[in-house]
Amino acid sequence: MLAPLRASGRVTAAAVLMVSWVALLWALEVVDVVSGHRLDSLGIEPRRPGELVDIVPSAFTHFGFGHVASNTLPLLVLGFIAALRGIARFLMVCLTVMVIGGLGVWLVAPAHTNTAGASGVIFGLFGYLLVRGFVDRRALDIVVGLLVGVLYGSILWGVLPSATGVSWQGHLFGLLGGVAAAFLFRERTPGTPAAR
């Protein structure tokens, strides 16, 4: 009897979280423009020790409204789907993606570049949703992962060094971070033996 109420609460919480997250990205870009693009300094410049503190903030800053706009819909959709399984778990997944993706950019991006934006998180959520069902052994999540793969699978081209001015490193390491997060935060169903 309480299951529909719990499901409704999860849907509402996931929707509010993702709309708020995207609104924050747009608000930060307004602040960036008004301040003469001062927030652009929160991007990651590779292999400079002081830049390590920008690994998480870089996922919230963008280089123009077009950049935010291109990330808005996939972040809303993939984030909403991922957050339905629980907000705390979702936030830990996102933090893992940001750290692994950001460290990857910091280590391997070309010198004298500045990387920012939510696309690493988007690739991470894609990877997470793609494998989560297999890791958790949940049939519904496997179906969701397959649907996500069909709908957004073309983004995998973004992990290849093909487009100038696009951080394939952020995409690749974000994707790897999402896959890692699926294993780190796997949900054991009753009767599933723990790994030894």
Side-chain angles (χ1 to χ4, degrees):
M1 192 166 150
L2 293 175
L5 290 175
R6 285 195 203 107
S8 173
R10 283 195 302 265
V11 168
T12 302
V16 168
L17 174 64
M18 293 318 302
V19 168
S20 301
W21 188 319
V22 167
L24 174 63
L25 298 185
W26 281 90
L28 287 171
E29 190 53 35
V30 169
V31 170
D32 186 44
V33 169
V34 170
S35 68
H37 299 286
R38 289 190 181 174
L39 296 185
D40 289 355
S41 66
L42 296 175
I44 302 168
E45 294 180 38
R47 293 169 298 284
R48 293 177 56 189
E51 291 293 304
L52 290 170
V53 298
D54 291 334
I55 281 177
V56 172
S58 69
F60 294 90
T61 56
H62 291 79
F63 301 130
F65 290 111
H67 191 196
V68 184
S70 67
N71 285 331
T72 293
L73 185 59
L75 182 61
L76 271 174
V77 172
L78 297 176
F80 173 75
I81 295 169
L84 286 173
R85 195 53 80 214
I87 300 300
R89 183 182 186 193
F90 170 77
L91 293 175
M92 292 305 294
V93 166
C94 288
L95 182 61
T96 301
V97 168
M98 289 176 198
V99 170
I100 292 175
L103 283 173
V105 167
W106 188 83
L107 287 168
V108 304
H112 313 297
T113 58
N114 187 14
T115 302
S119 59
V121 174
I122 291 166
F123 275 77
L125 291 172
F126 174 79
Y128 170 73
L129 290 170
L130 208 57
V131 303
R132 177 183 69 181
F134 296 100
V135 173
D136 288 350
R137 298 179 185 180
R138 295 178 66 115
L140 178 59
D141 286 341
I142 291 171
V143 171
V144 168
L146 293 173
L147 288 173
V148 164
V150 168
L151 294 173
Y152 285 98
S154 63
I155 72 169
L156 288 174
W157 291 109
V159 303
L160 300 175
S162 55
T164 305
V166 175
S167 175
W168 63 267
Q169 299 92 346
H171 297 169
L172 174 61
F173 285 98
L175 180 70
L176 294 175
V179 172
F183 285 92
L184 286 171
F185 305 108
R186 64 183 169 270
E187 185 177 280
R188 287 190 179 86
T189 54
T192 302
R196 294 180 189 257

